[in-house]
Amino acid sequence: MADLANDIHAQVQDALQRQQPLAIQGSNSKSFYGNPCEAQVLEVSGHSGILHYEPAELVLTARAGTSLQTIHQCLHVHGQMLGFEPPAFGEQATLGGTIACNLSGPRRPYAGAARDFVLGCRIINGHGQIMQFGGEVMKNVAGYDVSRLMAGAMGTLGVLLDISIRVIPRPQQEFTIRKEVDTDKALQVIARWSQRPMPISAACHDGNHLYFRLSGNESALKSAHNKMGGDLVGEDGDMWVRLREHTHTFFDVDRPLWRLSVPPNTPMLAVDGKTFLDWGGAQRWLVSTSSADSIRRITTRAGGHATLYRNGPRQEDAFQPLPAPMLQIQQQLKQAFDPQHILNPGRMYKAL
Amino acid sequence: MRVQNSIDKKQLLDRLSRILDSDSILHEAEDLRPYECDGLSAYRRLPLVVTLPETIDQVQTIVRICHEQRIPVIARGAGTGLSGGALPREDAVLLSLARLNKIIAVDPQQRLASVQPGVRNLAISEAVAEHGLYYAPDPSSQIACTIGGNVAENSGGVHCLKYGLTVHNISRLKIVTIDGELLTIGSHALDSPGYDLLALMTGSEGMLGIIVEITVKLLPIPERAQVIMAAFDDVEQAGHAVGNIIADGIIPAGLEMMDNPAIRAAEDFVHAGYPVDAAAILLCELDGTNEEVSEQVMRVRSLLTNNAATQITTAANEAERQKLWKGRKAAFPAVGRIAPDYYCMDGTIPRSKLAWVLRRISELSDEYQLPVANVFHAGDGNLHPLILYDANKPGELENTETLGGRILELCIEAGGTITGEHGVGIEKIDQMCIQFDEQELQQFHAIKAAFDPLSLLNPGKAVPTLHRCAEFGAMHVHGGQLPHPELERF
Ligand SMILES: Cc1cc2nc3c(=O)[nH]c(=O)nc-3n(C[C@H](O)[C@H](O)[C@H](O)COP(=O)(O)OP(=O)(O)OC[C@H]3O[C@@H](n4cnc5c(N)ncnc54)[C@H](O)[C@@H]3O)c2cc1C
């Protein structure tokens, strides 16, 4: 719980003077994610603490180094939670790292991604300037939406100092139902129920079983279960936690783990390996030794993109290469925030 | 590169006529007149030329020609914007997207619809209703405004407390960049690699690119929707009730507040059944599954009772629900009937500051001797004070604008923002100097330059130059000067 903004600011300014690139680091729980960035470490996890939390306003503002755990605990007391159900991938995972990576869990298709909940932020850009965008209010269209742009920018546009996020009430009840169906059938079932007003808050398929999580009040859940059928797995949401945190046995491998992001009801893709569907089919975990090129080609053809998530060969790009005109705009944007390439250079793309 | 000072209009028309029919190019004063303003009608200017393309190809060529000739381009949807975002310039081509008005594809399985930018907001929900789906963001102007304009403004509606703003409900955009290239942003998957340009484009007010196709997300029509109206003797109580409903874990589909002047105007106009002696009313819509709505209606009714509501009415059927909403949806035109003119403000504040802000607005209203009616997206803190005035009385428009500026500054003081959903445009450009410091404004300019280095897309809107801010600062100190001395007024 300390305000290290001035300290971090001074370090960025110093690095700028020395033309010394910085690798921004929270708890280092996501070091596996993205490309390696060889640079001087800028430690930011010490800049932590919840600054403002107003349950009735559905807004929480915290320093970027605040741990997700601290935030969960604080929200829990007031019957609220983070709507994007972020994976932590480590006990000390920070809010800043989570937002910078735009990481969202199983609830994502039904409640929104990390970026959807960002309301405002204070950052240090690559000129070493402290700036504030957005705010603590739900609706704000003054100026370009820089705060949301920070989500998923992997620290390459600015060092996140403070972040305001929208929070949501915790559902009264949740339960999980399970059906034994194959993957193709599962995609059809998901598509069918997703077109109806059902209290679904997660849908996944582990290769053998389709799981739906339902959230709401008891009578609504019972009535939904009656319509949808399937076995009640019980109220414990462990399966979703294991999926979210990659502690499920599926992820217990040392072969490359890919994340395929595709339109949800894309038929199963013809790639070798085993697949776990999350996000109602829109996020597919693939363990495969096929070549990056072929995985990316097939995913692109389906209208999606592939990320080499874990265990990849070091020389391989983590993120899907961008088409030239898109890369150019993104480079120009990088230029607008960090012309000297001081902040996490190469972490996302070599050119950014 | 130098921006040309004198524009070769003849050369421009020549080149445009090679790709557009004559009825798609307007350049005579009487044909240009309908385009001289948007919904902020106090400011008017004729454009150099209006183009009405029907294909993306034509849009690309028009933009390319303008780029080559260094002529600014101003996109326009339906022109319902309330901040002067589509206000023309004499040296600029006005690019109307109104004829790009086709629904390209509806995919009920993926719950997506791809549409052209000139499609009206409501037309999307109408077109997908047969699949039991709808498009959630519903600005009150939804019969008229275009989806392209909605993206450019990040528009909201009464349902955005629960279902989000435009930015939460779109999946892919195709834009034409200033050099005439077609760029796809986002995808039909739930995310895309690289920076989140979808977020950056949304709400960018035509400053970064021309939006030529939009894929919107669709939602299943809820099983049931129920609206409750509650009346209060005291605005502050109504504000507390809003906070208590949300703190209780309920996110209503809509949660709207109107104060007494707004209630009276709306009741006079559409006879919605509002209690005209109430200090404030709340409209609370609950939607979801049957069971959930039943339970929430009970909880909300009891919360309202505990918060000193003097009257609580639950719509007994769909017709009654529509009737209760009708008054709210018609609030702007209703206020338009009780005064020769009205000026609609759009600040957002933390809800806890509501009572204080309303009190200050009422003091300011006395100070400037201009009545103010308040319509409020209470759930998300978005306030629409409507200032009643008479433009024919000398000085009253200027007085109104000054009061409007004071109200926006009040919103900043309360920890809020100068615009929740209507955009900065030309209207609030000076208040941007208060909300953001020099470095932040420079950062905005740098973002613009990343897309549009020559500043040809809607120049002069949304982000003030530092020079302008310096002048505004000086004016603030000396007082008494007009907000937009460079613009002609009506
Ligand atoms: C009675 C009334 C009620 C309203 N209620 C609401 C409300 O509840 N919520 C709300 O959010 N707004 C509301 N508005 C404001 C307005 O309707 C919205 O801002 C709307 O999104 C504007 O759409 P339009 O098609 O009319 O855009 P225009 O007014 O034509 O343009 C708006 C801006 O978008 C740009 N633009 C338009 N099309 C494109 C494109 N294809 N590509 C790039 N830039 C483009 C223009 O340059 C301009 O800057 C209301 C307005 C009125 C008159």
Side-chain angles (χ1 to χ4, degrees), chain A residues 139, chain B residues 38-39 74-82 84-86 97 117 138-141 144-158 205-207 209-212 328 332-333 342 377 384 421-422 458:
Chain A
K139 291 166 87 177
Chain B
D38 63 5
I74 300 175
R76 178 183 165 106
T80 68
L82 291 172
L97 283 308
D138 57 343
S140 309
S141 52
C145 64
T146 68
I147 185 70
N150 291 174
V151 175
E153 299 285 15
N154 192 17
S155 298
V158 298
E205 304 195 21
M207 308 271 292
I210 308 293
I211 300 154
V212 291
R328 166 60 188 90
F332 293 4
Y342 72 93
H377 300 299
H384 291 314
E421 58 181 13
H422 294 167
N458 213 2

CSV table of all heavy atoms in Angstrom, one decimal, chain A residues 139, chain B residues 38-39 74-82 84-86 97 117 138-141 144-158 205-207 209-212 328 332-333 342 377 384 421-422 458, ligand 1:
chain,number,residue,atom,x,y,z
A,139,LYS,N,-20.2,6.8,-18.2
A,139,LYS,CA,-20.3,7.3,-19.5
A,139,LYS,C,-19.4,8.6,-19.7
A,139,LYS,O,-19.6,9.5,-18.9
A,139,LYS,CB,-21.8,7.7,-19.9
A,139,LYS,CG,-22.7,6.5,-20.0
A,139,LYS,CD,-24.1,6.9,-19.9
A,139,LYS,CE,-24.6,7.3,-21.3
A,139,LYS,NZ,-26.1,7.6,-21.2
B,38,ASP,N,-26.3,20.4,-37.8
B,38,ASP,CA,-26.8,19.2,-37.2
B,38,ASP,C,-27.9,19.5,-36.2
B,38,ASP,O,-28.5,20.6,-36.3
B,38,ASP,CB,-25.7,18.3,-36.7
B,38,ASP,CG,-24.9,18.8,-35.5
B,38,ASP,OD1,-25.3,19.9,-35.0
B,38,ASP,OD2,-23.9,18.2,-35.1
B,39,GLY,N,-28.0,18.7,-35.2
B,39,GLY,CA,-29.0,18.9,-34.1
B,39,GLY,C,-28.7,20.1,-33.3
B,39,GLY,O,-29.6,20.6,-32.5
B,74,ILE,N,-15.8,16.1,-43.9
B,74,ILE,CA,-16.6,16.0,-42.7
B,74,ILE,C,-17.7,14.9,-43.0
B,74,ILE,O,-18.6,15.1,-43.9
B,74,ILE,CB,-17.3,17.3,-42.4
B,74,ILE,CG1,-16.2,18.4,-42.1
B,74,ILE,CG2,-18.2,17.2,-41.2
B,74,ILE,CD1,-16.6,19.8,-41.9
B,75,ALA,N,-17.7,13.9,-42.2
B,75,ALA,CA,-18.7,12.8,-42.3
B,75,ALA,C,-20.0,13.2,-41.7
B,75,ALA,O,-20.0,14.0,-40.7
B,75,ALA,CB,-18.2,11.5,-41.7
B,76,ARG,N,-21.1,12.8,-42.2
B,76,ARG,CA,-22.4,13.1,-41.7
B,76,ARG,C,-23.3,11.8,-41.8
B,76,ARG,O,-23.3,11.2,-42.8
B,76,ARG,CB,-23.0,14.2,-42.4
B,76,ARG,CG,-24.4,14.6,-41.9
B,76,ARG,CD,-25.0,15.7,-42.8
B,76,ARG,NE,-26.4,15.9,-42.6
B,76,ARG,CZ,-27.0,16.9,-41.9
B,76,ARG,NH1,-26.2,17.8,-41.3
B,76,ARG,NH2,-28.3,16.9,-41.7
B,77,GLY,N,-23.9,11.5,-40.7
B,77,GLY,CA,-24.9,10.5,-40.7
B,77,GLY,C,-26.3,11.1,-41.0
B,77,GLY,O,-26.6,11.6,-42.1
B,78,ALA,N,-27.1,11.1,-39.9
B,78,ALA,CA,-28.5,11.7,-40.1
B,78,ALA,C,-28.5,13.1,-39.6
B,78,ALA,O,-29.5,13.8,-39.7
B,78,ALA,CB,-29.5,10.9,-39.2
B,79,GLY,N,-27.4,13.6,-39.1
B,79,GLY,CA,-27.3,15.0,-38.6
B,79,GLY,C,-28.2,15.3,-37.4
B,79,GLY,O,-28.6,16.4,-37.1
B,80,THR,N,-28.3,14.2,-36.5
B,80,THR,CA,-29.1,14.4,-35.3
B,80,THR,C,-28.1,14.8,-34.1
B,80,THR,O,-28.6,15.0,-33.0
B,80,THR,CB,-29.9,13.2,-34.8
B,80,THR,OG1,-29.0,12.1,-34.5
B,80,THR,CG2,-30.8,12.7,-36.0
B,81,GLY,N,-26.8,14.8,-34.4
B,81,GLY,CA,-25.8,15.0,-33.3
B,81,GLY,C,-26.2,16.3,-32.6
B,81,GLY,O,-26.7,17.3,-33.2
B,82,LEU,N,-25.9,16.4,-31.3
B,82,LEU,CA,-26.2,17.6,-30.5
B,82,LEU,C,-25.0,18.4,-30.1
B,82,LEU,O,-25.1,19.3,-29.3
B,82,LEU,CB,-27.0,17.1,-29.3
B,82,LEU,CG,-28.4,16.5,-29.5
B,82,LEU,CD1,-29.0,15.9,-28.3
B,82,LEU,CD2,-29.3,17.6,-30.1
B,84,GLY,N,-22.7,19.6,-32.7
B,84,GLY,CA,-22.1,20.3,-33.8
B,84,GLY,C,-21.0,19.5,-34.5
B,84,GLY,O,-20.2,20.0,-35.2
B,85,GLY,N,-21.0,18.1,-34.2
B,85,GLY,CA,-19.9,17.3,-34.8
B,85,GLY,C,-19.9,17.3,-36.3
B,85,GLY,O,-18.9,17.3,-36.9
B,86,ALA,N,-21.1,17.4,-36.9
B,86,ALA,CA,-21.2,17.3,-38.3
B,86,ALA,C,-21.4,18.7,-38.9
B,86,ALA,O,-21.8,18.9,-40.1
B,86,ALA,CB,-22.4,16.4,-38.7
B,97,LEU,N,-23.2,9.8,-45.3
B,97,LEU,CA,-23.3,8.3,-45.5
B,97,LEU,C,-24.7,7.8,-45.6
B,97,LEU,O,-24.9,6.6,-45.5
B,97,LEU,CB,-22.5,7.7,-44.3
B,97,LEU,CG,-21.0,7.7,-44.2
B,97,LEU,CD1,-20.4,7.1,-45.5
B,97,LEU,CD2,-20.4,9.0,-43.9
B,117,PRO,N,-23.2,2.2,-42.7
B,117,PRO,CA,-23.3,3.2,-41.7
B,117,PRO,C,-24.5,4.0,-41.7
B,117,PRO,O,-24.9,4.6,-40.7
B,117,PRO,CB,-22.0,4.1,-42.0
B,117,PRO,CG,-21.8,3.8,-43.5
B,117,PRO,CD,-22.1,2.4,-43.7
B,138,ASP,N,-30.0,2.2,-27.4
B,138,ASP,CA,-31.2,2.8,-27.9
B,138,ASP,C,-31.3,4.3,-27.6
B,138,ASP,O,-32.1,4.7,-26.8
B,138,ASP,CB,-32.4,2.1,-27.4
B,138,ASP,CG,-32.5,2.1,-25.8
B,138,ASP,OD1,-31.4,2.4,-25.2
B,138,ASP,OD2,-33.5,1.9,-25.3
B,139,PRO,N,-30.5,5.1,-28.3
B,139,PRO,CA,-30.6,6.6,-28.1
B,139,PRO,C,-32.1,7.0,-28.4
B,139,PRO,O,-32.7,6.4,-29.2
B,139,PRO,CB,-29.6,7.2,-29.1
B,139,PRO,CG,-29.2,6.1,-30.0
B,139,PRO,CD,-29.5,4.8,-29.3
B,140,SER,N,-32.5,8.1,-27.7
B,140,SER,CA,-33.9,8.5,-27.9
B,140,SER,C,-34.1,8.9,-29.3
B,140,SER,O,-35.2,9.0,-29.8
B,140,SER,CB,-34.2,9.8,-27.0
B,140,SER,OG,-33.8,9.5,-25.7
B,141,SER,N,-33.0,9.2,-30.0
B,141,SER,CA,-33.2,9.6,-31.4
B,141,SER,C,-33.1,8.4,-32.4
B,141,SER,O,-32.9,8.6,-33.6
B,141,SER,CB,-32.0,10.6,-31.8
B,141,SER,OG,-30.8,9.9,-31.4
B,144,ALA,N,-34.2,8.1,-36.1
B,144,ALA,CA,-33.6,8.9,-37.1
B,144,ALA,C,-32.1,8.7,-37.2
B,144,ALA,O,-31.5,8.6,-38.3
B,144,ALA,CB,-33.9,10.4,-36.8
B,145,CYS,N,-31.4,8.5,-36.0
B,145,CYS,CA,-29.9,8.6,-36.1
B,145,CYS,C,-29.4,7.3,-36.7
B,145,CYS,O,-30.0,6.3,-36.7
B,145,CYS,CB,-29.3,8.8,-34.7
B,145,CYS,SG,-29.7,7.4,-33.6
B,146,THR,N,-28.2,7.4,-37.3
B,146,THR,CA,-27.6,6.3,-38.0
B,146,THR,C,-26.6,5.6,-37.1
B,146,THR,O,-26.1,6.1,-36.2
B,146,THR,CB,-26.8,6.8,-39.3
B,146,THR,OG1,-25.6,7.5,-38.8
B,146,THR,CG2,-27.6,7.6,-40.2
B,147,ILE,N,-26.4,4.3,-37.5
B,147,ILE,CA,-25.5,3.5,-36.7
B,147,ILE,C,-24.0,4.0,-36.8
B,147,ILE,O,-23.2,4.0,-35.9
B,147,ILE,CB,-25.6,2.0,-37.0
B,147,ILE,CG1,-24.7,1.1,-36.1
B,147,ILE,CG2,-25.3,1.7,-38.5
B,147,ILE,CD1,-25.2,1.0,-34.7
B,148,GLY,N,-23.7,4.6,-38.0
B,148,GLY,CA,-22.4,5.2,-38.2
B,148,GLY,C,-22.2,6.4,-37.2
B,148,GLY,O,-21.1,6.5,-36.6
B,149,GLY,N,-23.2,7.2,-37.1
B,149,GLY,CA,-23.2,8.3,-36.2
B,149,GLY,C,-23.1,7.8,-34.8
B,149,GLY,O,-22.3,8.4,-33.9
B,150,ASN,N,-23.8,6.7,-34.4
B,150,ASN,CA,-23.7,6.1,-33.1
B,150,ASN,C,-22.3,5.7,-32.7
B,150,ASN,O,-21.8,5.9,-31.6
B,150,ASN,CB,-24.6,4.9,-33.0
B,150,ASN,CG,-26.1,5.2,-33.0
B,150,ASN,OD1,-26.9,4.3,-33.1
B,150,ASN,ND2,-26.5,6.5,-33.1
B,151,VAL,N,-21.6,5.1,-33.7
B,151,VAL,CA,-20.3,4.6,-33.4
B,151,VAL,C,-19.4,5.9,-33.3
B,151,VAL,O,-18.6,5.9,-32.3
B,151,VAL,CB,-19.7,3.7,-34.6
B,151,VAL,CG1,-18.3,3.4,-34.3
B,151,VAL,CG2,-20.6,2.4,-34.7
B,152,ALA,N,-19.5,6.8,-34.1
B,152,ALA,CA,-18.7,8.0,-34.1
B,152,ALA,C,-18.9,8.8,-32.8
B,152,ALA,O,-18.0,9.5,-32.3
B,152,ALA,CB,-19.0,8.9,-35.3
B,153,GLU,N,-20.1,8.7,-32.1
B,153,GLU,CA,-20.3,9.4,-30.9
B,153,GLU,C,-20.3,8.5,-29.7
B,153,GLU,O,-20.5,8.9,-28.5
B,153,GLU,CB,-21.7,10.1,-30.9
B,153,GLU,CG,-21.9,11.1,-32.0
B,153,GLU,CD,-21.1,12.4,-31.8
B,153,GLU,OE1,-20.3,12.4,-30.9
B,153,GLU,OE2,-21.4,13.4,-32.5
B,154,ASN,N,-20.1,7.1,-29.9
B,154,ASN,CA,-20.3,6.2,-28.8
B,154,ASN,C,-21.6,6.4,-28.0
B,154,ASN,O,-21.6,6.6,-26.8
B,154,ASN,CB,-19.1,6.2,-27.8
B,154,ASN,CG,-19.1,5.0,-26.8
B,154,ASN,OD1,-19.8,4.0,-27.1
B,154,ASN,ND2,-18.4,5.1,-25.7
B,155,SER,N,-22.7,6.4,-28.8
B,155,SER,CA,-24.0,6.8,-28.2
B,155,SER,C,-24.5,5.8,-27.2
B,155,SER,O,-24.2,4.6,-27.3
B,155,SER,CB,-25.0,6.9,-29.4
B,155,SER,OG,-24.6,7.9,-30.2
B,156,GLY,N,-25.3,6.3,-26.3
B,156,GLY,CA,-25.9,5.5,-25.3
B,156,GLY,C,-27.4,5.6,-25.4
B,156,GLY,O,-27.9,6.3,-26.3
B,157,GLY,N,-28.1,5.0,-24.5
B,157,GLY,CA,-29.6,5.1,-24.5
B,157,GLY,C,-30.0,4.7,-23.1
B,157,GLY,O,-29.2,4.5,-22.2
B,158,VAL,N,-31.4,4.6,-23.0
B,158,VAL,CA,-31.8,4.3,-21.6
B,158,VAL,C,-31.4,2.9,-21.1
B,158,VAL,O,-31.4,2.6,-20.0
B,158,VAL,CB,-33.4,4.5,-21.5
B,158,VAL,CG1,-33.8,5.9,-21.8
B,158,VAL,CG2,-34.1,3.5,-22.4
B,205,GLU,N,-15.7,10.8,-33.3
B,205,GLU,CA,-16.4,12.0,-33.9
B,205,GLU,C,-15.9,12.3,-35.3
B,205,GLU,O,-15.7,13.4,-35.7
B,205,GLU,CB,-16.2,13.2,-33.0
B,205,GLU,CG,-16.7,12.9,-31.6
B,205,GLU,CD,-16.9,14.2,-30.8
B,205,GLU,OE1,-17.0,15.3,-31.4
B,205,GLU,OE2,-16.9,14.1,-29.5
B,206,GLY,N,-15.6,11.2,-36.1
B,206,GLY,CA,-15.3,11.5,-37.5
B,206,GLY,C,-13.9,12.0,-37.7
B,206,GLY,O,-13.6,12.5,-38.8
B,207,MET,N,-13.1,12.0,-36.7
B,207,MET,CA,-11.7,12.6,-36.7
B,207,MET,C,-10.6,11.6,-37.2
B,207,MET,O,-9.5,12.1,-37.5
B,207,MET,CB,-11.3,13.1,-35.3
B,207,MET,CG,-12.3,14.0,-34.7
B,207,MET,SD,-12.1,15.7,-35.0
B,207,MET,CE,-10.5,16.0,-34.2
B,209,GLY,N,-11.3,8.5,-39.2
B,209,GLY,CA,-11.6,7.7,-40.4
B,209,GLY,C,-13.1,7.7,-40.6
B,209,GLY,O,-13.8,8.2,-39.8
B,210,ILE,N,-13.4,7.3,-41.9
B,210,ILE,CA,-14.8,7.3,-42.2
B,210,ILE,C,-15.3,5.8,-42.0
B,210,ILE,O,-14.8,4.9,-42.6
B,210,ILE,CB,-15.0,7.6,-43.7
B,210,ILE,CG1,-14.3,9.0,-44.1
B,210,ILE,CG2,-16.5,7.7,-44.1
B,210,ILE,CD1,-14.9,10.2,-43.4
B,211,ILE,N,-16.3,5.7,-41.2
B,211,ILE,CA,-16.8,4.3,-40.9
B,211,ILE,C,-17.8,3.9,-42.1
B,211,ILE,O,-18.8,4.6,-42.3
B,211,ILE,CB,-17.6,4.3,-39.6
B,211,ILE,CG1,-16.6,4.7,-38.5
B,211,ILE,CG2,-18.2,2.9,-39.3
B,211,ILE,CD1,-17.3,5.3,-37.3
B,212,VAL,N,-17.5,2.8,-42.7
B,212,VAL,CA,-18.3,2.4,-43.9
B,212,VAL,C,-19.0,1.1,-43.7
B,212,VAL,O,-19.9,0.7,-44.5
B,212,VAL,CB,-17.5,2.4,-45.2
B,212,VAL,CG1,-17.1,3.8,-45.6
B,212,VAL,CG2,-16.3,1.5,-45.1
B,328,ARG,N,-40.9,9.7,-21.1
B,328,ARG,CA,-39.4,9.9,-21.0
B,328,ARG,C,-38.8,10.1,-22.4
B,328,ARG,O,-38.0,11.0,-22.6
B,328,ARG,CB,-38.8,8.7,-20.2
B,328,ARG,CG,-37.3,8.6,-20.3
B,328,ARG,CD,-36.6,9.9,-19.8
B,328,ARG,NE,-35.2,9.8,-20.0
B,328,ARG,CZ,-34.6,10.4,-21.1
B,328,ARG,NH1,-35.4,11.0,-22.0
B,328,ARG,NH2,-33.3,10.3,-21.3
B,332,PHE,N,-37.5,15.5,-24.6
B,332,PHE,CA,-36.9,16.7,-25.3
B,332,PHE,C,-37.9,17.4,-26.1
B,332,PHE,O,-38.1,18.7,-25.9
B,332,PHE,CB,-35.7,16.2,-26.2
B,332,PHE,CG,-34.5,15.7,-25.5
B,332,PHE,CD1,-34.5,15.5,-24.1
B,332,PHE,CD2,-33.4,15.4,-26.2
B,332,PHE,CE1,-33.4,15.0,-23.4
B,332,PHE,CE2,-32.2,14.9,-25.5
B,332,PHE,CZ,-32.2,14.7,-24.2
B,333,PRO,N,-38.6,16.8,-27.0
B,333,PRO,CA,-39.7,17.5,-27.7
B,333,PRO,C,-40.7,18.1,-26.8
B,333,PRO,O,-41.2,19.2,-27.1
B,333,PRO,CB,-40.3,16.5,-28.7
B,333,PRO,CG,-39.7,15.2,-28.4
B,333,PRO,CD,-38.5,15.4,-27.6
B,342,TYR,N,-34.8,25.3,-26.7
B,342,TYR,CA,-34.2,24.7,-25.6
B,342,TYR,C,-32.8,24.2,-26.0
B,342,TYR,O,-32.5,23.9,-27.1
B,342,TYR,CB,-35.0,23.5,-25.0
B,342,TYR,CG,-35.0,22.2,-25.8
B,342,TYR,CD1,-34.1,21.2,-25.6
B,342,TYR,CD2,-36.0,22.1,-26.8
B,342,TYR,CE1,-34.1,20.1,-26.4
B,342,TYR,CE2,-36.0,20.9,-27.6
B,342,TYR,CZ,-35.0,19.9,-27.4
B,342,TYR,OH,-35.1,18.8,-28.1
B,377,HIS,N,-30.2,10.2,-17.0
B,377,HIS,CA,-30.0,8.7,-17.0
B,377,HIS,C,-29.4,8.4,-15.7
B,377,HIS,O,-28.2,8.3,-15.5
B,377,HIS,CB,-29.0,8.3,-18.1
B,377,HIS,CG,-29.4,8.7,-19.5
B,377,HIS,ND1,-30.6,8.2,-20.1
B,377,HIS,CD2,-28.9,9.5,-20.5
B,377,HIS,CE1,-30.7,8.7,-21.3
B,377,HIS,NE2,-29.7,9.4,-21.6
B,384,HIS,N,-29.0,15.3,-18.3
B,384,HIS,CA,-29.3,16.2,-19.4
B,384,HIS,C,-30.2,17.4,-19.0
B,384,HIS,O,-31.4,17.4,-19.1
B,384,HIS,CB,-30.2,15.4,-20.5
B,384,HIS,CG,-29.4,14.4,-21.2
B,384,HIS,ND1,-28.2,14.6,-21.7
B,384,HIS,CD2,-29.8,13.1,-21.5
B,384,HIS,CE1,-27.8,13.5,-22.3
B,384,HIS,NE2,-28.7,12.5,-22.2
B,421,GLU,N,-22.5,11.3,-23.6
B,421,GLU,CA,-22.9,10.6,-24.8
B,421,GLU,C,-23.0,11.5,-26.1
B,421,GLU,O,-23.1,10.9,-27.2
B,421,GLU,CB,-24.1,9.8,-24.6
B,421,GLU,CG,-25.3,10.6,-24.1
B,421,GLU,CD,-26.6,9.8,-23.9
B,421,GLU,OE1,-26.5,8.6,-23.8
B,421,GLU,OE2,-27.7,10.4,-23.8
B,422,HIS,N,-23.1,12.8,-25.9
B,422,HIS,CA,-23.4,13.6,-27.1
B,422,HIS,C,-22.1,14.1,-27.8
B,422,HIS,O,-22.2,14.6,-28.9
B,422,HIS,CB,-24.2,14.8,-26.8
B,422,HIS,CG,-25.6,14.5,-26.3
B,422,HIS,ND1,-26.5,15.4,-25.7
B,422,HIS,CD2,-26.3,13.3,-26.4
B,422,HIS,CE1,-27.6,14.8,-25.4
B,422,HIS,NE2,-27.5,13.5,-25.8
B,458,ASN,N,-12.6,16.1,-40.4
B,458,ASN,CA,-13.4,16.9,-39.4
B,458,ASN,C,-12.5,17.8,-38.6
B,458,ASN,O,-12.6,17.8,-37.4
B,458,ASN,CB,-14.2,16.0,-38.5
B,458,ASN,CG,-15.5,16.6,-38.1
B,458,ASN,OD1,-15.8,17.7,-38.5
B,458,ASN,ND2,-16.2,15.9,-37.2
C,1,LIG,C1,-34.1,14.3,-29.9
C,1,LIG,C2,-32.7,13.8,-29.8
C,1,LIG,C3,-32.5,12.8,-28.8
C,1,LIG,C4,-31.2,12.2,-28.7
C,1,LIG,N1,-31.0,11.3,-27.8
C,1,LIG,C5,-29.8,10.7,-27.6
C,1,LIG,C6,-29.6,9.7,-26.7
C,1,LIG,O1,-30.5,9.3,-26.0
C,1,LIG,N2,-28.3,9.2,-26.5
C,1,LIG,C7,-27.3,9.6,-27.3
C,1,LIG,O2,-26.2,9.1,-27.2
C,1,LIG,N3,-27.5,10.6,-28.3
C,1,LIG,C8,-28.7,11.1,-28.4
C,1,LIG,N4,-28.9,12.1,-29.4
C,1,LIG,C9,-27.7,12.6,-30.2
C,1,LIG,C10,-27.5,11.9,-31.5
C,1,LIG,O3,-28.7,11.4,-32.0
C,1,LIG,C11,-26.5,10.9,-31.5
C,1,LIG,O4,-25.2,11.5,-31.3
C,1,LIG,C12,-26.3,10.1,-32.8
C,1,LIG,O5,-25.4,9.0,-32.6
C,1,LIG,C13,-25.9,10.9,-34.0
C,1,LIG,O6,-26.1,10.1,-35.2
C,1,LIG,P1,-26.2,10.8,-36.6
C,1,LIG,O7,-26.4,9.7,-37.6
C,1,LIG,O8,-27.3,11.8,-36.6
C,1,LIG,O9,-24.8,11.5,-36.7
C,1,LIG,P2,-24.4,12.9,-37.2
C,1,LIG,O10,-25.1,13.9,-36.3
C,1,LIG,O11,-24.7,13.1,-38.6
C,1,LIG,O12,-22.9,12.9,-36.9
C,1,LIG,C14,-22.4,12.8,-35.6
C,1,LIG,C15,-20.9,12.8,-35.6
C,1,LIG,O13,-20.5,11.6,-36.2
C,1,LIG,C16,-19.6,11.7,-37.3
C,1,LIG,N5,-20.1,10.7,-38.2
C,1,LIG,C17,-21.3,10.4,-38.7
C,1,LIG,N6,-21.3,9.3,-39.4
C,1,LIG,C18,-20.0,8.9,-39.5
C,1,LIG,C19,-19.3,7.8,-40.2
C,1,LIG,N7,-20.0,7.0,-41.0
C,1,LIG,N8,-18.0,7.8,-40.1
C,1,LIG,C20,-17.3,8.6,-39.3
C,1,LIG,N9,-17.9,9.6,-38.7
C,1,LIG,C21,-19.2,9.8,-38.8
C,1,LIG,C22,-19.9,13.1,-37.8
C,1,LIG,O14,-18.8,13.7,-38.4
C,1,LIG,C23,-20.2,13.8,-36.5
C,1,LIG,O15,-19.0,14.2,-35.9
C,1,LIG,C24,-30.2,12.7,-29.5
C,1,LIG,C25,-30.4,13.7,-30.5
C,1,LIG,C26,-31.7,14.2,-30.6
C,1,LIG,C27,-31.9,15.2,-31.7
